[in-house]
Amino acid sequence: MYSTTYHRPATVADAVKLLKKADDGKLLAGGQTLIPAMKTRLAAPSDVVDLRHIKELKGIKVSGKNVTIGAGTTHAEVASNEKLMKVCHSMCELASHIGDPHVRHMGTIGGSVANNDPAADYPAAMVALGATIHTNKREIAAEKFFTGLFETALKDDEVVTAVSFTAPAKCGYEKFRNPASRYAMTGVFVAKGKDGVRVAVTGAGDDGVFRSKEIEAALSKKFDASALDGVQVSSRNLMSDIHASAEYRANLVVVMARRATTAANG
Amino acid sequence: MGMEGIGARVARKEDKRFVTGLGRYVDDMVVPGMKHAAFVRSPHAHADVKKIDVKAAMAMPGVIGVLTGKELKADGIGNLICGWMIHSKDGTPMKMGAWSPLAVDRVRYVGDAVAVVVAETRAQARDAAEAVEVTYKERKAVTDAVAALKSGAPQLHPEADNNLIYDWEIGEAKATDAAIAKAAHVTKMHIVNNRLVPNAMEPRAALGHYDKAEDHYTCWTTSQNPHVARLVMSAFYNVAPENKLRVIAPDVGGGFGSKIYIYPEEIVCLWASKKTGVPVKWVADRTESFLTDAHGRDHVTEVQLAFDKDNNMTALKVDTIANLGAYMSLFSSSVPTYLYATLLSGQYRIPAIHANVRTVYTNTAPVDAYRGAGRPEATYLLERVVETAARELGVAPAELRRKNFIREFPYQTPVIMCYDAGDYEASLSAAMKAADYDGFSKRRDKAKKAGKLRGIGMSCYIEACGIAPSAAVGSLGAGVGLWESAEVRVNGVGTIEVLTGSHSHGQGHETTFAQLVSDRFGVPMDSVSIVHGDTDKVQMGMGTYGSRSGAVGMSAIVKALDKVEAKAKKIAAHLLEADEGDITIENGELKVAGTDKAVPWFQMALAAYTAHNLPAGMEPGLKEGAFYDPSNFTFPAGCYICEVEVDPETGTTEIVQFVAADDFGNIINPMIVEGQVHGGIAQGVGQALLEGCHYDPSSGQLLTASYMDYTMPRAGDLPSFKVSTSNTPCPSNPLGIKGCGEAGAIGSPPAVMNAITDAIGNNDLTMPASPQKVWAAVKAATKH
């Protein structure tokens, strides 16, 4: 790791100030990606501004079907929140399978969303749930927020403060893990809500999370795993690497969608 | 057997310090004034080094020195060597290319060291290493051994035309070809043994300390054989003569072969310590380990197995290309030859065997012995082809094996080895029973209803352990002898120190070796200490690898114990005024048989050191040493059965049952043996299902350089193993033991692959059988 200057602000406003002052500042929101990258000298921020001690970023609010999760909420907190479990069990389930216990007790939903790792779990949930990403400046629809591999609509001095969504009638998430890293090699979140069926795929797209129109069309006809029998998704625009070819990922998209749908139907 | 003697399940003495974080590893060592080293490594797989500019690095904070290969050469430090001479079939010696500890004018793999920075802190050393400006002129790289042999391939070493190191053969080519020509059936396969990265838990590390006052060097290093390290560094690398070089291998966190070899880093740390005037420590990070630890396996083979009309094996023909990487590592040449082709007879009577082996340079990390070393490659090859033959012949896999088992011993194979003892039927029967082999078809039907493909596969392995006798290995080209030494020191109060030339880095020697002594003299294990890993304490030894420390290391201890016992009995007889032939040793006492006259062990010891009342002419003290050179290899063998369920939708393989039935001869500590088998199987399953080292073929970059991409086995990947042992004692050593350290890694990969290919009905599958590959193979099988 290169030497860096660590800051621990108490408010979002202070965090933004520190970030603006820094030569090459980075926000730290759990550090489960940034710290390993710094340790291997792939990232060298001059300043690290830690968001984990900002009270206003913490907590989960559930009001009826409306859910707001503070950006500083850890995966472990999301996984174990009883109110959330009642209205959107799949979100808890998803959070409970991110990384390992260390990661889940350090990593935060805001950090994951802002980093937009193409193999992260939360982006699929956000897009499928039609969630809104709240920042210190504005509100952005999830689909417009995730713009590419590790790319988001965030401006330089913009901080994710919360995510919100309306819990759908049914939803489910299944992922196939990369054998080595255990990140999602293909993860599919299916949701059936007021606006119909939305299906988002993570870990597979060569430009990050995306909605699968083929799967949505099939599940819109009948929200049942059997609706996906014989459905194929194109391997175009899917990633190919030593662990999984685009064709294999295309297969996994359908298989995971089928399993997620079964889970959603409980 | 007593509570702590031979055969007892004694908990490991060393585990207390390991599991409480009190183990002391090289990185825990601190010497006053110690500074830190970082290596400048090649980012290219193959390039000429045009210029190294250290000016900017020298000006960085905390930097004490920046040293390059030119200075190293100017100081007369030698090139690294391969210590086992192999001759090609045309009689020419192997083509050893120059391997400088710091590259001078050419780099040959990503990670090849070109310079070293010594600085006040580790972080400063790394910062400065990045500031060393190396001008490279890139060359084309080749990472695949088959491609490296083709004409027009990039050439690595001027000594080795077409990158060929040697073209070696064993066995009778004519007889083998003739048998194949008239065979009733020939099974042919193309077999790939995947390259693995060892991944010991503790990365490699070295601390070099040159003491100017004494003109003496000390090297703390993560070594499986500190004495061999000292010998090689003195004799070949001109670091210092043996009497001025102390090598210490303290607690070492796993080796699996990768810590046998002398690497550039320990040589450079010692040399840099003299050069800079400060003790120099280097500790690899994980990616450095991936890049520069000697890798394992990486064979490509064409094999033919011939049968007569009664399904008797008549011939085996093997043509192997083995990738040795960019340079010849210390024992690399022996792995695909004498540790591999000599085991190709397996457990079977095969009248004619011929193997041809070509080894090749490529722009990859050096390849050397890794748990099993050659024997896993031989076993995988043979057990895959035997299983495949059974399928082709329509015979049950167990029956084909049974029919061809060697049943009379000693048995001389056509490939040097003479098997001394074994009962292969016993292991096969025990394994089939434990696996409920007969109930498999029912389990397969049940799995099918749940949408899963269930398969079963077996593997009957044999291995050769001990790697000896010295004269025999010497005649085959080994540069060292493979005996072991021991010294037993009985102190004045009767406590005992055992000095051994073997080295424990996870094997549990502090426990098993103490059990041996406790068993012999009836003294508590706590009163026995095992001393190893320091060339100033133990005079000489050959270290630990090849499952040799039980069969060879303990045999040396037995020889020393024999001498101690003889002298102890003489002293006791004198004290008890009895005939020494009447003295027996039991429960910590030396007794006159058939009487109640006895002298406690500690009193006898005290008598030896007070020397007030010793037999006339006897020297005081009680300390005996011994060297033991075995008269043969030992031959552990066994049968492994693996049962899997494959999810055809995703290609995921779950191992639902794994049975191991091993014959290790006599066993000192069954719990430690089981632990070795468990660990070995985990590594074998890792090779079969999970681990694969990938270099990008065009750039030569290592794609699997961290755990993000290299899949290590995790607990969840493994079932609870069903292990058992049978026993045909080894006739060639005093304890009748054979060795158990590598069996699991040797026997398990073919069992796993035989099971998966059985499940999916497609034999065209390579290791690691990743979900992607299995899914594709299932798809290909259903298309037909």
Side-chain angles (χ1 to χ4, degrees), chain A residues 2 41 176 178-183 242-245 247-248 251-252 255-256 258-259, chain B residues 123 126-127 130 647 649-650 652 694 703-704 707-711 714 717 771-772 775:
Chain A
Y2 299 98
R41 297 181 160 240
F176 192 86
N178 177 302
S181 71
R182 301 283 168 116
Y183 272 88
I242 56 171
H243 302 288
S245 64
E247 293 71 30
Y248 179 53
N251 167 68
L252 288 177
V255 175
M256 292 302 115
R258 203 151 49 207
R259 293 178 185 182
Chain B
R126 289 187 178 195
D127 287 349
E130 287 177 10
D647 175 353
E649 291 188 332
T650 62
T652 306
H694 288 267
L703 300 179
T704 48
Y707 295 129
M708 289 297 281
D709 288 301
Y710 190 88
T711 313
R714 294 164 162 93
D717 297 314
Q772 164 173 245
W775 172 77

Side-chain angles (χ1 to χ4, degrees), chain A residues 3-7 18-28 34 38 44-50:
Chain A
S3 58
T4 187
T5 307
Y6 173 85
H7 306 274
L18 287 163
L19 192 60
K20 278 183 174 168
K21 263 205 315 210
D23 280 346
D24 179 21
K26 271 274 186 196
L27 296 173
L28 183 69
L34 180 60
M38 288 171 69
S46 63
D47 295 74
V48 168
V49 180
D50 192 353

Side-chain angles (χ1 to χ4, degrees), chain B residues 231-488:
Chain B
L231 173 71
V232 173
M233 286 198 281
S234 309
F236 300 101
Y237 306 154
N238 302 326
V239 174
E242 274 179 301
N243 62 318
K244 291 188 175 295
L245 174 59
R246 177 185 186 184
V247 177
I248 303 170
D251 282 334
V252 173
F256 312 108
S258 71
K259 292 172 181 166
I260 296 172
Y261 329 113
I262 290 55
Y263 288 88
E265 290 86 357
E266 48 261 41
I267 302 167
V268 170
C269 282
L270 284 165
W271 167 70
S273 176
K274 183 172 189 182
K275 225 42 196 167
T276 59
V278 294
V280 175
K281 182 195 273 183
W282 166 80
V283 180
D285 66 23
R286 187 52 68 179
T287 286
E288 228 173 354
S289 303
F290 271 101
L291 288 171
T292 66
D293 287 4
H295 293 175
R297 321 282 193 254
D298 206 346
H299 284 198
V300 177
T301 298
E302 303 298 332
V303 56
Q304 299 183 62
L305 179 60
F307 294 86
D308 68 15
K309 62 178 175 30
D310 299 321
N311 296 337
N312 294 306
M313 296 175 188
T314 56
L316 177 75
K317 190 176 170 71
V318 168
D319 185 5
T320 294
I321 296 173
N323 192 340
L324 291 195
Y327 303 101
M328 292 188 79
S329 177
L330 192 62
F331 292 114
S332 57
S333 58
S334 65
V335 177
T337 50
Y338 293 110
L339 298 181
Y340 163 70
T342 55
L343 269 303
L344 285 169
S345 196
Q347 299 186 351
Y348 313 110
R349 279 175 281 107
I350 310 178
I353 298 178
H354 180 257
N356 196 95
V357 178
R358 285 169 288 170
T359 52
V360 182
Y361 285 119
T362 64
N363 296 110
T364 62
V367 178
D368 208 322
Y370 168 64
R371 201 171 192 172
R375 291 151 291 168
E377 294 91 323
T379 302
Y380 183 69
L381 169 80
L382 192 61
E383 288 305 291
R384 285 286 288 130
V385 75
V386 168
E387 189 92 2
T388 301
R391 290 173 193 166
E392 289 176 358
L393 294 166
V395 185
E399 289 320 306
L400 188 63
R401 287 178 168 91
R402 274 196 174 108
K403 189 174 180 62
N404 289 280
F405 274 160
I406 294 161
R407 291 173 190 275
E408 282 169 19
F409 297 90
Y411 177 82
Q412 178 62 53
T413 72
V415 279
I416 298 180
M417 291 298 177
C418 182
Y419 301 165
D420 52 7
D423 184 350
Y424 309 138
E425 178 72 38
S427 300
L428 177 67
S429 300
M432 288 178 76
K433 197 173 167 209
D436 182 24
Y437 201 91
D438 294 340
F440 171 72
S441 60
K442 272 188 191 158
R443 297 195 293 277
R444 171 178 275 184
D445 294 346
K446 200 175 160 196
K448 200 173 179 185
K449 282 180 192 140
K452 298 285 174 66
L453 305 172
R454 198 163 175 125
I456 196 163
M458 62 172 57
S459 153
C460 295
Y461 76 91
I462 186 160
E463 59 156 327
C465 291
I467 320 185
S470 297
V473 294
S475 73
L476 301 177
V480 290
L482 290 165
W483 45 266
E484 196 46 85
S485 80
E487 188 177 314
V488 175

